[in-house]
Amino acid sequence: MNLLVTGGAGYIGSHTAIELIMAGHDVVVVDNLSNSTRAAVSAIETVTGRDVTFFEYDIRNDSRLDEVLACRAFDAVLHFAALKAVGESAAQPLRYYANNVAGTATLLDGMNDYGIKTLVFSSSASVYGDPDTMPIGEDSPPDPKSPYARTKLITENLLHDLHDADPDWRISILRYFNAVGAHPSGRIGEDPSGVPNNLLPFVAQVAVGRRNCLNVFGDDYPTPDGTGIRDYLHVVDLARGHVKALDYLAGAGGVSVHNLGTGRGYSVFEVVHAFEAASGRKVPHRVAARRPGDVAVSWADPSKARDELGWTAEYDLERACEDLWRWQLTHPRGFSTRKA
Ligand code: NAD
Ligand code: UD1
């Protein structure tokens, strides 16, 4: 298939572009490089051995949409482009709504004009908020706790409305749990700008000596060791979920919603120990105050994706730590400084 990947220079989009190309698809990447670099696209080419057409383009810019959408007879769009920092979204809600919601509406309008009506959308487990029961199934009522999470839920609702108005649309909504790890080749991985917000990139930067100490945000949660529990999903497994979602859409109309997670939760201390084992390095850490907005536990019930998409996560946390460490060691400052 001819596929357009928005946000394809980003962490999950770039790994997904690799899996799509390996599955035989032709991929065009658009990204405004607001949270990524052109080097990620070069890395996709290196890993796959294939040229990738790239447009440095903002999905909100409808005057350039024709240029992108007319370059191929696209069969589907995989839409990753979004801002994703939860704390920042509380400080800059207009920027998040403009980018994530209005940007998606502009993209959908263009797709509609070109008769491209198949979409895979990157949603988030954050739409569930803080449910009472674990694991979290897709029928758990949404209760987003941040502007970022609300942009995801609003976009999901927009997609349902779009399909109600025009049943020709085929839409897969994927609610990701915590994406971690890097490509096993060591040539591509997460390259967060500034201080990482997320646990694994921070842990990796401490292990490599770029940062001194990890702050563990709270050890007084109602969990066995007192730290927060999450469902950490290897980014390559996550990427492969998109290949399965596309296959599924080829046979099913409508709007589908699937969790992508492992079904297993790990505490912050367990993650630190797993990373220490994978890297052979100590990860100095100290307990700090809880981070506002964090929930105690979150892990997926991934059985719907298993039953309907034929997808299950294959890699475990240990493997994710090993792959992340390989990437971190060879690229201590991300794509900007590569060590042999
Ligand atoms: P990322 O920031 O690495 O990738 C997003 C990419 O989109 C970046 O390269 C950025 O430059 C680009 N982008 C942003 N706004 C754009 C715009 N207006 N036009 C063009 N490009 C734009 O983030 P990621 O971790 O790869 O996340 C990908 C998607 O998955 C996002 O939609 C995110 O909300 C969602 N998600 C991520 C996680 C996670 O654990 N990382 C979890 C749940 C959902
Ligand atoms: C966050 C977002 C979520 C988003 C995901 C990926 C919130 C509430 N949720 O998930 O919407 O999809 O990132 O971008 O922000 N931790 C530390 N020290 C750190 C960093 C994290 O102890 O320096 C702890 C956290 O308290 C949490 C766990 O590690 O218990 C995971 O945190 P993180 O990686 O930021 O992911 P989430 O908060 O689960």
Side-chain angles (χ1 to χ4, degrees):
M1 283 197 263
N2 284 315
L3 304 173
L4 181 66
V5 178
T6 77
Y11 174 45
I12 302 170
S14 59
H15 287 79
T16 303
I18 289 171
E19 296 305 316
L20 292 168
I21 292 168
M22 299 313 247
H25 298 295
D26 186 73
V27 166
V28 172
V29 168
V30 300
D31 199 301
N32 67 357
L33 304 183
S34 61
N35 197 37
S36 52
T37 61
R38 179 73 176 73
V41 182
S42 303
I44 298 170
E45 294 179 321
T46 304
V47 171
T48 60
R50 293 265 298 275
D51 290 340
V52 172
T53 303
F54 173 64
F55 290 90
E56 186 175 338
Y57 161 78
D58 192 305
I59 55 161
R60 290 166 294 176
N61 182 355
D62 57 0
S63 63
R64 284 196 62 202
L65 205 51
D66 279 335
E67 186 189 342
V68 175
L69 293 175
C71 86
R72 297 271 195 296
F74 286 112
D75 299 294
V77 175
L78 294 99
H79 178 36
F80 298 90
L83 299 172
K84 63 163 184 175
V86 172
E88 186 183 70
S89 78
Q92 304 174 13
L94 287 177
R95 192 168 153 241
Y96 272 69
Y97 282 96
N99 199 78
N100 295 4
V101 180
T104 302
T106 302
L107 174 71
L108 293 169
D109 204 27
M111 289 173 63
N112 204 42
D113 287 346
Y114 280 79
I116 308 163
K117 296 187 180 180
T118 301
L119 178 81
V120 181
F121 173 64
S122 303
S123 189
S124 165
S126 63
V127 300
Y128 296 117
D130 193 5
D132 293 331
T133 53
M134 292 292 137
I136 303 173
E138 289 83 353
D139 55 357
S140 181
D143 185 19
K145 303 288 190 198
S146 67
Y148 163 74
R150 280 187 279 279
T151 67
K152 291 297 178 185
L153 186 60
I154 290 168
T155 305
E156 287 194 12
N157 290 335
L158 189 167
L159 294 172
H160 284 285
D161 288 341
L162 180 62
H163 177 264
D164 286 347
D166 179 357
D168 286 347
W169 279 85
R170 292 166 181 256
I171 297 170
S172 166
I173 294 170
L174 300 177
R175 291 176 175 165
Y176 314 152
F177 284 69
N178 294 53
V180 294
H183 194 268
S185 66
R187 293 185 174 271
I188 190 163
E190 191 168 8
D191 188 12
S193 52
V195 181
N197 290 308
N198 296 120
L199 178 62
L200 255 308
F202 202 106
V203 166
Q205 291 191 5
V206 173
V208 86
R210 193 169 156 188
R211 302 191 186 278
N212 293 329
C213 184
L214 168 75
N215 286 318
V216 174
F217 296 143
D219 69 348
D220 56 353
Y221 285 104
T223 61
D225 67 16
T227 66
I229 292 180
R230 297 289 184 277
D231 187 330
Y232 297 97
L233 174 66
H234 196 299
V235 67
V236 171
D237 276 327
L238 178 53
R240 290 176 182 161
H242 296 74
V243 180
K244 295 287 191 182
L246 270 180
D247 292 346
Y248 176 78
L249 283 180
V255 185
S256 60
V257 179
H258 294 98
N259 286 341
L260 294 184
T262 67
R264 163 131 201 222
Y266 289 90
S267 74
V268 175
F269 286 145
E270 286 175 319
V271 169
V272 169
H273 294 143
F275 201 84
E276 288 181 335
S279 65
R281 302 270 180 103
K282 292 306 286 180
V283 177
H285 53 278
R286 63 173 164 252
V287 174
R290 289 185 182 192
R291 183 172 62 179
D294 271 355
V295 300
V297 293
S298 167
W299 75 85
D301 175 354
S303 56
K304 188 167 182 248
R306 179 197 63 208
D307 296 345
E308 294 184 355
L309 306 183
W311 174 89
T312 46
E314 290 173 18
Y315 295 132
D316 57 16
L317 179 64
E318 286 67 30
R319 177 62 191 265
C321 291
E322 286 166 20
D323 289 337
L324 172 55
W325 181 236
R326 187 178 302 110
W327 159 250
Q328 184 68 69
L329 207 51
T330 52
H331 301 74
R333 294 193 173 271
F335 285 111
S336 60
T337 53
R338 184 176 189 285
K339 272 191 181 173

